[in-house]
Amino acid sequence: MTDTIERFDFQAESRQLLDLMIHSVYSHKEIFLRELISNASDALDRRRFEAVSNPDALPDGTELEIWMEPDTDGRTLTIRDTGIGMSREEVIDLIGTIAKSGTREFTQKLKESKESDAVDLIGQFGVGFYSGFMVADKMTLVTRRTGEETGTKWESEGDGSYTLEEVTPEAVGTAITLHLKPADAEDGMDDFAEEWKLREIVKKYSDFVAYPIKMNVSREEIERDDEGKPVEGAEAKTVIEAQTLNSMKAIWLRGKDDVTDEEYAEFYKHIAHDWTPPLATIRANIEGTLEYKLLLFIPEKAPFDLYMREGRRGVQLYVKRVFIMDDCDALVPEYLRWVRGVVDSEDLSLNISREILQQDRQIQRMQKGLVGKVLDHLKQLRDDDAEKYTKFWGEFGRVLKEGTYTDHEVQDRILDLCRFDSTMDDGEQTSLQSYIDRMKDGQETIYYMTGETREAVEQSPHLEAFKEKGFEILILTDPVDEIWTQSVHEYEGKKLQSIGRGAVDLDDDGDKEEKEKAAQEKAETHASLIEMLKNALKDEVKDVRLSSRLTSSPACLVTDEGDLSPQLEQIMRASNQPVPESKRILELNPKHPLLEKMQGMYDADKDDAQLNDYAELLYGQAALAEGQAPSNPGRLAKLLAELMVRA
Ligand code: ADP
């Protein structure tokens, strides 16, 4: 045993974060307790789980519990658990570093946020332990890990550094002592050493915690006789006894209607490490060959790590009410990675490990059941509560859409839930069904256009003829839209077609035959000019042809049937995937005067060097018109300037 105390500095970012947190949250300071209890409960879960494979981790007679130890005179509050504890390395790693992922992002958001949001942010980014500094000017943590003989004492005044010291705690587990700031009601600083206050906070935030949260409480006891009457003249005695402050009831075992919304909300906050109540709660008891219970939540806001590869994912798995693991990702497909909650199975083995989960047939069937329940619920939400549904879609729609190509079994069900921008949406997104309801007589195709932004799509020349003829176009601007549209080709018997891809035939009025004949003639008139352009642009495009989708622009670029769109190419490049070489097609507007002008130049002198410049300009501005950077912007600018001088 050594008695050396080592001092460590927090990283600059952590320091800044700590400072902001201590000074920007004034209300609800009591939530620090929920966070510390939640950490203790996680540590107890982990110890119990470790004991499944290593019984030594939990010797007989060890109680798994949490103690509140207030000291009113010394003005401290200790939260002690008999959980798994931490090794010295873990203390440095887990406690010495605040909110490892996304600290910068968090600090930024905290700076910009209103105070009420600051509380949400603290929870989302997992700086729970440090919320203790909202009420304490010093925190001491003493911990000993299962399997280790000595322990570690960590101490900090939240000022930029902490100390570590080797100690020898009697038992495995963690004790966190808060040296409380003076109580000051005006500053939201309640007296957190008061018995009744602690009782109130535990009941409010942590009632469902599955381990007893105990506290020694004192009670005045008057001596009574055999009949239960107070003995006259006897003095009251102070009796101290341990009391369990929480009911510990697994909330998903209680009758659906016996649980209040507040209780669901608190439970959700506990398991999701969120501070905002959930948007929706889903409960189901599945019976039959497989029996399991679901208590699932849709968060109100997308977590910050929703799009991170290492983002948190999955639900808690219980087997016959015994906690097995957190973040069980085998139970939820990627596209539902935002779902939080609990799955309690009657059939799985308690020894089930993460490795075999992925292949387990029962787990796969449970996953299907879970997906079904979530999609059912979303459908109901869509039909019954449009406002909530819109909120949901705004936060998670992009992720849900991934399911259309990763899980073919539910493709149609997800398409039913999708919402899209459209050229006729009046500020509200549309469903595919409403699009179909608005289709023109005889229209058999659902038209869409993908692009980076709504503005880019709306300005793109491809839309011109469609708009003029009154067709509605869905505007798809999420990167994931580029992907799902590759594998979804039909909805409710209607073809889905990109208006930036392949050939289109919009001539639905007038004499078709006559029009075709006219188009044919037009093509023949310009055949040699087009051939010349094709040659001039052979490195850029795979074909040049006359278009039926343009009304006012002279040209546009389209993607050939079966080729990758430029946006998809970008996505693939960004994720370091090999991108096959593909060129696009330049379509010219047969009604545009520019074509006639070029034809005139060509007829006068088919070797006119200016025609090559025109070809380049046409190509460059077609790229610009759809929001793409032209392949050689400098050259395009120069050609334009020359043209302006000549004009
Ligand atoms: P979060 O709980 O959101 O991960 P915290 O800052 O509250 O963030 O805690 C960081 C980590 O420290 C926890 O994930 C856990 O691994 C560890 N930890 C905190 N409290 C305890 C405890 N009482 N017992 C064991 N480990 C703990």
Side-chain angles (χ1 to χ4, degrees), residues 35 39-40 43 46 81 84-86 94-95 126-129 174 176 273:
E35 199 58 24
N39 281 349
R46 292 218 301 279
D81 67 66
I84 194 155
M86 283 175 272
L94 301 168
I95 300 294
V127 287
F129 172 80
T174 304
I176 293 160
H273 297 271

Side-chain angles (χ1 to χ4, degrees), residues 22 49 52 105 218 235 245 283 314 517:
I22 296 169
F49 185 60
V52 173
E105 198 189 337
S218 56
E235 275 198 25
L245 308 181
R283 272 196 67 173
K517 213 167 125 223

